[in-house]
Amino acid sequence: MYCEKCGAELKENQTVCENCGNTPAKKEDKQVLGMKWYKFNVNFSLFFMGVLTVISGILDITQFKIDTAIMWLIYGAFAIVVRFRLSGFKKDAPLMMVCLNVVYAVVQGYNAIMYGGNSAFVLGIILAILNYIYFKKRKELFVK
Ligand SMILES: [Zn+2]
């Protein structure tokens, strides 16, 4: 870094130029964004959901609900893939995360229409929106 006024070399984090007394413009303070939700997903949630939905899929096979069984098995595998894309800070990871939530909503909605019961369809949609906002703010982190 060099002084804007006299061109003297400045040490890193030096706030006043020793040569001319100029105060260099402060580097824009980068907003430090929390990563708790990211860590929760990478370290726990996506693994948990992946395993849980694979178990759901297997249980559905025993009840001859082959359609939802296949959907849950695919979702479970997809969740694990997204987990590793996120942990590797891959460029497509945020979009995959939102897609995963949409897939979840679709499977839950389908399950409710075909077999009744409570649907977590809305949860999937809410998560998709929240993750879209969350990861959009942090998109510079996902560059690999
Ligand atoms: Zn200077």
Side-chain angles (χ1 to χ4, degrees):
M1 198 163 84
Y2 295 91
C3 173
E4 287 168 17
K5 204 174 165 189
C6 72
E9 195 170 353
L10 301 174
K11 286 170 207 149
E12 226 178 299
N13 300 325
Q14 194 177 333
T15 51
V16 180
C17 175
E18 283 168 5
N19 188 44
C20 72
N22 183 40
T23 311
K26 265 190 188 172
K27 272 187 239 169
E28 210 179 313
D29 283 326
K30 269 203 173 173
Q31 201 186 344
V32 180
L33 294 165
M35 294 299 278
K36 277 181 187 165
W37 174 246
Y38 166 84
K39 284 178 186 164
F40 172 72
N41 275 286
V42 167
N43 296 329
F44 175 70
S45 168
L46 287 170
F47 271 129
F48 181 74
M49 287 301 282
V51 172
L52 194 75
T53 50
V54 166
I55 292 168
S56 293
I58 293 164
L59 285 174
D60 281 356
I61 292 172
T62 64
Q63 292 167 18
F64 302 103
K65 288 153 73 176
I66 302 303
D67 47 358
T68 54
I70 291 165
M71 287 179 193
W72 284 131
L73 291 174
I74 291 169
Y75 175 89
F78 188 27
I80 301 296
V81 170
V82 173
R83 187 261 166 223
F84 283 102
R85 301 300 287 178
L86 278 177
S87 69
F89 289 98
K90 301 292 181 193
K91 208 173 181 180
D92 59 3
L95 182 65
M96 286 177 82
M97 182 72 186
V98 174
C99 287
L100 183 73
N101 296 145
V102 172
V103 171
Y104 182 81
V106 169
V107 179
Q108 288 288 10
Y110 177 85
N111 193 45
I113 291 163
M114 295 300 287
Y115 302 105
N118 285 327
S119 172
F121 170 80
V122 177
L123 177 70
I125 296 300
I126 290 169
L127 280 173
I129 294 165
L130 291 179
N131 276 323
Y132 177 80
I133 296 164
Y134 180 89
F135 285 105
K136 200 178 179 184
K137 283 183 188 168
R138 290 158 180 82
K139 68 178 176 191
E140 289 112 59
L141 298 170
F142 297 89
V143 288
K144 283 176 191 170

